[in-house]
Amino acid sequence: MKFIYRVFGSFLLILLTTATIAAQNKISGTVVDQEGESLPGANVYIKGTAIGTVTDKQGGFELALPSQNFTLKITFVGFKPFTKSFSVREGGLNLGKIALQAGDAALSEVEVIASRSTAESPFTFAELDKKEIKKNLGSRDLPNVLNISPSVYSTNQGGGAGDSRINIRGFDQRNVAVMINGVPVNDMENGWVYWSNWDGLGDAASSIQVQRGISPVNLSVPSVGGTINIVTDPAAQSQSVSLRQEVGSWNFAKTTLQYNTGLIDDKYAISANVVRKTGDGFYNGLFTDAWAYYVGASFKAGENDKLELHAVGAPQRHGQNLYQQNIARYSHEYARSLDDYDQGALQQYREAGRHFNQNYNGINPSYTGRQYFEMYRQYEEDRYDNSFLMERENFYHKPQINLNWYHTFSPNVSWSNVFYWSGGKGGGTGTYGDVNTDYSFQGMGLRQWNAEIAENSNNIDPTYDTDLNRSTGIMRNSVNQQRTYGVISKLFIQPSDELTYQIGVDGRYASIDHWREVRDLLGGDYFVYDGNDFDQTDDDFMKGIGEKIAYNNTNQVSWLGGYAQVEYDTELLTLFGMGGYTVVSYDYTDYFALDPETGEALNLQTDALPGFQLKGGASYQLTEDLNIYANGGYISRNPIFDYAINDGAGVVYDDIKNEKVTTAELGASYYMGNKFGLTANAYYTLWDDRTITQNVRRQNGDDDFIFIGGLAQRHTGIELSGSYQPNDKVKLSFGGSLGDWVFTDNVQATYTTYVNGSPRDTALNLYIKDLKVGDAPQNQLFATASVEPISGFTLQADFRYYTKFYSAFDPISRTDETDVDANGNATQSWQVPNYGLVDLHAFYNVPVKSGDYSLRLFAHVFNLFNEEYIQDATDNSRFNSFDGNHTADDAAAFFGLPRNFNAGLEIRF
């Protein structure tokens, strides 16, 4: 921590003492498109300096010049950059109208530090600007807007607000790097991304770029499946105030207020928005009660220095639906329509309807027990709704604050820095102890809250107290409280127009507290927990509301990485090379476990765990319209916390190994003027030395865990995306992907465990060779058609179709030889039926007489034809399998949402 503070202080000292360059001359002009329409918000700057501005509402700009000879660069999303050198005599220069051509823009400072791709980069990517995000998102979780892209699959899983997940090229989001303004936000313990923490980003984002494959990201967390790169740029917004009101299915309501100053005096820019969102959700009990906020500020401290501040957060509570169900539980009719669904299973699974949520059940409103949780502060309050009680609810607030500083030493040397802090407080609910549950055919596994409350309300246990009732089952909170500090520093050296060097440092530290606490005693007065070594008496064991139970630990993550990168860029050829090295270490303290040697809380630490990455690529402009590219890389990936320490059992894993990733890609892009564009590529990724853990018994009788390596996955595929715009009223986009994602080999291992003190060699055989990787469709097709039948009115239809979709499974569950046929082929996991969806979007810019404001109406209809389909599935479910034959009756699933809508209006001043 002291190191970070010192670096931060040094950077600020340099910034405050940096001299500014006096400007004598000015240059001005107006930026327009090819039709002569003005482009407000275009970035205009002097190359090699921090001098820049954005165009006003009429596309105009004016800049003060540091010298008589300079190079002007103008960029705007969706257009090719304009670059030209000038020589100015005293008195300045007016360039008149500058027309930009449609194409890809160059990068802003925050995009550079976020390692964004451009058309010249040898990497595969797709980008959505702010306009496209608004057109397609419709207030869904942010990753859902990315489905119109090859090899990308996102669902809302059980339908809870913010509970979505995304998969790229067959890799789940633990293996997809998600970055906001250049800062990675994947969980530092398990790699997951909790989208409920970033609910306001869809409204604040200037653009989202999905970089499939290894990408040019040079941070110490290398991507495998891809990178989702989200940028919010206050200086890119024109001056405006907007109010957007939305309504939707299932009592959805959302209000968004946004304010942008635009660039003031060529120095200042502020963008801010606040969002309020409520709704009931489709499944029972999926309420949402959420706020979101974003503040971005840009300040030019001098001709060579620019500061940016970004703060984002989304305090929220929402009900969850976390348990997939047997297909018949949702619909007997749909189950009967499946050829491989055993009709006998219909007698075992009562049909409860599409709204069924096992985490929800009614409760007698007369029960007035208070519930405890912490988010902004400590709360003890009534249930969200007195007519029902949710077993699973999420409550969390994870603010993130970035301070970005860009400094230009000379036209050839610049320095970009990000200092960031992220907090987080909240958690999720569940049950603890023995809570009444009805697992009968009619009961469907629902918690019987009324029965539990009646039992706890009349349960005197004289061992502890003769006047108070002991709860045998309770509601608990699983709390996660974290603090992350980090710095990302990148130095850019450009000795010539063609050659650029980068060196950088990525350092971060996180401290994460975990504990469980009593949320609701469900009618009783106390709960007994005796698993804390530091509790000694019966009074200590008696836990009340808010007291800690089950576990109480702190995990610490220390991370330091560095990289070097070189780019060579000419008019025809671009070369890219990068190498990086990272060291990570972990620390674990268990406040419930007594270390007999020290008499203090048990503390475990790992050694420094190194990892590295190497990647490179090249692109070549064969003709004016055709570009080809290739990239490849090798990653030896540092283990995440959960692969180094088991914080549930309190052990450090022995012989921790890095996972290895080898990848290669070839692609080509073809553009025919501004009307037609096409990109095609093929990829290969080998994910090797994946590890699993297995319980063993030590010689002294203690439980332990060992690593078993050797799992390998091979992901190959081809991808295609294109667009055709015959005129300014019609636009077509299309694409798709064909994948082949498989486990390459069986795993055979032998380990020693001790049973009754005697050694026993145990064989572990996983029969997984040639099994398809599940959890996402391996083939997909998409198409989008947009028309403007009358001025100001746009209608857009999106179509998606998915095939070769194998349900998810745990490789360690494949130990049964009966799952292998005579030819040694393992039985594939259940294949989800193919399905297709159509979404409809409509927008109308209402003609208004006053030029002081604009009014826009919009509507979205998702799943227009109300298709019934399965979007998530798990093979041979532990709780929902009928006979374990890897068929439809053995899968647990989530159905996709039925037809639903989102509509509203936006007024902008």
Side-chain angles (χ1 to χ4, degrees):
M1 285 303 304
K2 290 182 179 179
F3 168 76
I4 294 176
Y5 290 145
R6 288 171 182 164
V7 172
F8 184 82
S10 299
F11 285 169
L12 287 181
L13 180 62
I14 295 172
L15 174 63
L16 293 174
T17 58
T18 301
T20 60
I21 300 175
Q24 301 296 325
N25 301 314
K26 292 184 177 180
I27 185 171
S28 60
T30 303
V31 181
V32 298
D33 62 18
Q34 289 178 298
E35 283 73 38
E37 295 292 328
S38 61
L39 294 176
N43 291 294
V44 183
Y45 60 97
I46 306 301
K47 192 173 179 181
T49 76
I51 301 171
T53 185
V54 295
T55 55
D56 57 26
K57 290 183 178 180
Q58 288 74 43
F61 68 91
E62 184 178 83
L63 279 177
L65 302 177
S67 65
Q68 291 183 337
N69 299 302
F70 65 94
T71 299
L72 181 72
K73 193 158 189 176
I74 303 174
T75 65
F76 192 77
V77 174
F79 291 84
K80 294 181 180 179
F82 171 89
T83 305
K84 191 171 182 179
S85 298
F86 295 92
S87 180
V88 180
R89 300 294 179 185
E90 191 166 340
L93 177 65
N94 189 325
L95 298 177
K97 289 186 176 181
I98 302 172
L100 301 186
Q101 292 185 342
D104 291 294
L107 304 179
S108 66
E109 292 98 333
V110 67
E111 289 174 319
V112 169
I113 204 167
S115 302
R116 303 269 282 207
S117 293
T118 65
E120 295 80 19
S121 302
F123 300 99
T124 304
F125 70 96
E127 185 156 0
L128 281 76
D129 61 20
K130 193 172 189 69
K131 183 179 178 181
E132 291 175 302
I133 296 169
K134 282 187 175 182
K135 282 175 61 178
N136 296 299
L137 184 57
S139 290
R140 296 172 295 166
D141 292 348
L142 188 63
N144 295 160
V145 78
L146 305 175
N147 272 324
I148 306 294
S149 185
S151 300
V152 176
Y153 186 69
S154 176
T155 78
N156 57 8
Q157 298 195 98
D163 287 343
S164 288
R165 55 98 175 189
I166 192 167
N167 184 298
I168 300 179
R169 290 185 175 176
F171 298 96
D172 69 20
Q173 57 192 33
R174 288 184 178 86
N175 300 289
V176 174
V178 179
M179 302 203 307
I180 300 173
N181 294 321
V183 174
V185 298
N186 296 71
D187 188 277
M188 291 185 69
E189 294 175 287
N190 61 27
W192 199 249
V193 180
Y194 302 91
W195 293 100
S196 57
N197 296 332
W198 315 108
D199 191 58
L201 278 178
D203 303 287
S206 299
S207 63
I208 303 173
Q209 188 177 91
V210 180
Q211 302 161 331
R212 304 191 298 275
I214 56 172
S215 81
V217 171
N218 41 35
L219 298 181
S220 359
V221 181
S223 57
V224 179
T227 300
I228 299 173
N229 219 314
I230 304 164
V231 163
T232 62
D233 190 352
Q237 312 298 328
S238 57
Q239 183 180 6
S240 64
V241 178
S242 67
L243 176 65
R244 186 163 70 251
Q245 181 61 54
E246 301 170 62
V247 295
S249 300
W250 313 304
N251 294 320
F252 176 84
K254 179 180 176 182
T255 303
T256 305
L257 179 64
Q258 188 166 21
Y259 173 66
N260 302 303
T261 65
L263 196 60
I264 301 173
D265 296 332
D266 291 336
K267 285 188 176 183
Y268 311 92
I270 297 175
S271 180
N273 67 277
V274 60
V275 179
R276 174 67 172 137
K277 185 172 77 171
T278 60
D280 294 336
F282 170 70
Y283 292 93
N284 293 331
L286 293 194
F287 70 88
T288 180
D289 181 4
W291 292 85
Y293 59 87
Y294 166 75
V295 177
S298 177
F299 169 59
K300 292 183 64 176
E303 297 296 345
N304 296 323
D305 291 282
K306 181 179 179 181
L307 292 173
E308 288 181 351
L309 178 71
H310 303 273
V312 62
Q316 55 81 37
R317 294 177 62 186
H318 73 274
Q320 296 185 289
N321 175 25
L322 298 186
Y323 303 154
Q324 294 180 351
Q325 301 294 320
N326 187 282
I327 295 168
R329 184 74 79 203
Y330 295 121
S331 172
H332 277 200
E333 181 181 359
Y334 185 88
R336 289 191 192 97
S337 72
L338 302 174
D339 293 337
D340 60 344
Y341 192 93
D342 191 325
Q343 302 301 296
L346 299 176
Q347 307 304 314
Q348 180 170 319
Y349 298 99
R350 170 192 168 193
E351 182 177 12
R354 292 278 300 279
H355 293 83
F356 178 71
N357 179 1
Q358 192 178 335
N359 300 143
Y360 163 95
N361 205 1
I363 191 171
N364 192 324
S366 65
Y367 175 63
T368 58
R370 306 275 281 176
Q371 296 193 327
Y372 177 89
F373 68 99
E374 300 181 39
M375 194 158 58
Y376 321 101
R377 56 182 173 82
Q378 295 179 351
Y379 292 82
E380 192 173 330
E381 63 181 32
D382 295 333
R383 298 188 303 278
Y384 179 82
D385 189 301
N386 69 353
S387 66
F388 67 84
L389 181 59
M390 291 296 295
E391 177 188 3
R392 305 304 294 264
E393 176 186 324
N394 178 270
F395 55 96
Y396 213 79
H397 179 208
K398 184 178 174 63
Q400 178 169 300
I401 299 174
N402 300 1
L403 176 63
N404 297 5
W405 170 37
Y406 313 102
H407 177 69
T408 302
F409 289 103
S410 72
N412 299 325
V413 181
S414 60
W415 192 18
S416 297
N417 304 277
V418 180
F419 311 96
Y420 63 93
W421 168 86
S422 180
K425 193 171 187 179
T429 69
T431 58
Y432 195 76
D434 185 13
V435 175
N436 274 276
T437 307
D438 188 349
Y439 290 106
S440 70
F441 171 78
Q442 297 293 329
M444 301 179 294
L446 295 177
R447 302 297 189 187
Q448 304 300 298
W449 305 120
N450 294 327
E452 184 65 30
I453 291 167
E455 179 181 322
N456 292 340
S457 299
N458 187 28
N459 187 34
I460 297 294
D461 185 345
T463 303
Y464 292 94
D465 198 293
T466 57
D467 297 319
L468 300 177
N469 291 305
R470 175 181 174 178
S471 294
T472 58
I474 61 171
M475 291 286 295
R476 52 80 180 165
N477 294 322
S478 294
V479 177
N480 179 298
Q481 184 172 284
Q482 56 183 274
R483 302 153 300 281
T484 301
Y485 306 87
V487 58
I488 300 170
S489 184
K490 300 182 178 183
L491 183 66
F492 302 82
I493 303 172
Q494 189 173 9
S496 68
D497 289 342
E498 296 81 18
L499 193 60
T500 303
Y501 298 106
Q502 280 189 48
I503 56 173
V505 175
D506 171 18
R508 67 192 82 163
Y509 167 82
S511 178
I512 309 103
D513 302 323
H514 301 274
W515 69 82
R516 279 188 173 169
E517 63 191 15
V518 179
R519 177 182 178 86
D520 188 335
L521 285 164
L522 297 178
D525 298 306
Y526 67 94
F527 178 77
V528 173
Y529 175 73
D530 59 3
N532 183 350
D533 292 347
F534 296 93
D535 288 343
Q536 300 297 320
T537 67
D538 288 348
D539 286 343
D540 294 333
F541 301 151
M542 297 170 65
K543 306 298 182 181
I545 289 286
E547 292 194 77
K548 292 181 173 64
I549 58 172
Y551 57 79
N552 180 17
N553 57 61
T554 296
N555 298 335
Q556 297 181 61
V557 181
S558 299
W559 195 292
L560 183 62
Y563 77 93
Q565 178 177 304
V566 61
E567 291 182 79
Y568 179 75
D569 187 7
T570 67
E571 186 175 348
L572 298 179
L573 176 67
T574 298
L575 299 175
F576 172 93
M578 177 264 176
Y581 186 82
T582 304
V583 175
V584 61
S585 62
Y586 301 114
D587 183 288
Y588 164 79
T589 302
D590 186 346
Y591 301 107
F592 279 179
L594 176 67
D595 187 334
E597 295 184 4
T598 65
E600 304 291 336
L602 176 68
N603 178 260
L604 302 172
Q605 298 178 5
T606 68
D607 296 328
L609 306 173
F612 67 91
Q613 57 176 319
L614 298 169
K615 53 189 174 184
S619 68
Y620 186 73
Q621 196 75 30
L622 279 175
T623 70
E624 185 177 350
D625 302 320
L626 179 62
N627 179 73
I628 60 172
Y629 65 91
N631 64 66
Y634 180 82
I635 301 168
S636 177
R637 191 163 65 165
N638 311 76
I640 59 176
F641 186 97
D642 287 354
Y643 291 171
I645 295 179
N646 186 317
D647 56 1
V651 295
V652 176
Y653 291 128
D654 294 327
D655 194 24
I656 303 170
K657 297 183 185 302
N658 287 8
E659 296 177 336
K660 314 297 192 306
V661 179
T662 305
T663 183
E665 185 172 13
L666 292 171
S669 298
Y670 176 76
Y671 294 95
M672 188 172 65
N674 297 314
K675 291 186 176 182
F676 178 76
L678 185 68
T679 297
N681 61 281
Y683 65 88
Y684 169 93
T685 302
L686 179 64
W687 184 14
D688 209 352
D689 278 342
R690 282 195 58 195
T691 51
I692 55 176
T693 60
Q694 180 70 15
N695 295 332
V696 297
R697 181 65 58 87
R698 289 181 178 177
Q699 191 168 8
N700 64 3
D702 292 343
D703 288 330
D704 201 353
F705 302 83
I706 61 168
F707 264 133
I708 297 174
L711 270 74
Q713 294 175 212
R714 183 182 65 243
H715 294 234
T716 61
I718 57 175
E719 299 168 335
L720 178 76
S721 60
S723 64
Y724 175 59
Q725 187 167 2
N727 55 59
D728 58 358
K729 302 295 184 183
V730 177
K731 183 176 181 180
L732 303 174
S733 299
F734 56 90
S737 53
L738 300 175
D740 186 33
W741 313 328
V742 298
F743 289 89
T744 61
D745 293 295
N746 294 325
V747 174
Q748 296 179 336
T750 302
Y751 60 89
T752 301
T753 185
Y754 289 81
V755 179
N756 298 323
S758 300
R760 175 184 294 177
D761 290 335
T762 302
L764 177 69
N765 296 310
L766 302 184
Y767 301 101
I768 57 176
K769 187 178 188 306
D770 295 330
L771 285 183
K772 303 295 185 182
V773 175
D775 204 31
Q778 302 200 11
N779 298 338
Q780 70 176 98
L781 176 71
F782 65 86
T784 296
S786 177
V787 296
E788 188 178 352
I790 61 174
S791 180
F793 176 67
T794 303
L795 192 64
Q796 177 178 309
D798 300 336
F799 169 71
R800 292 174 281 138
Y801 190 74
Y802 301 106
T803 70
K804 200 178 173 184
F805 184 0
Y806 294 91
S807 51
F809 68 94
D810 182 358
I812 205 170
S813 68
R814 292 304 194 108
T815 58
D816 190 349
E817 289 184 88
T818 62
D819 278 345
V820 182
D821 63 22
N823 297 320
N825 299 315
T827 305
Q828 295 290 346
S829 65
W830 177 62
Q831 189 169 346
V832 177
N834 303 341
Y835 73 90
L837 297 175
V838 174
D839 300 330
L840 191 65
H841 315 275
F843 312 90
Y844 181 53
N845 296 320
V846 179
V848 292
K849 293 183 179 180
S850 173
D852 296 332
Y853 71 95
S854 62
L855 180 63
R856 184 183 226 202
L857 306 178
F858 56 87
H860 310 267
V861 182
F862 301 106
N863 192 4
L864 177 65
F865 298 113
N866 203 27
E867 293 292 326
E868 193 173 38
Y869 64 99
I870 291 173
Q871 65 175 14
D872 302 273
T874 301
D875 183 58
N876 272 19
S877 167
R878 176 182 174 189
F879 299 103
N880 289 279
S881 175
F882 179 60
D883 53 20
N885 290 328
H886 306 290
T887 53
D889 53 277
D890 304 310
F894 282 134
F895 277 53
L897 293 178
R899 179 170 49 233
N900 60 98
F901 80 94
N902 169 270
L905 61 86
E906 180 178 23
I907 184 168
R908 181 180 293 269
F909 300 93

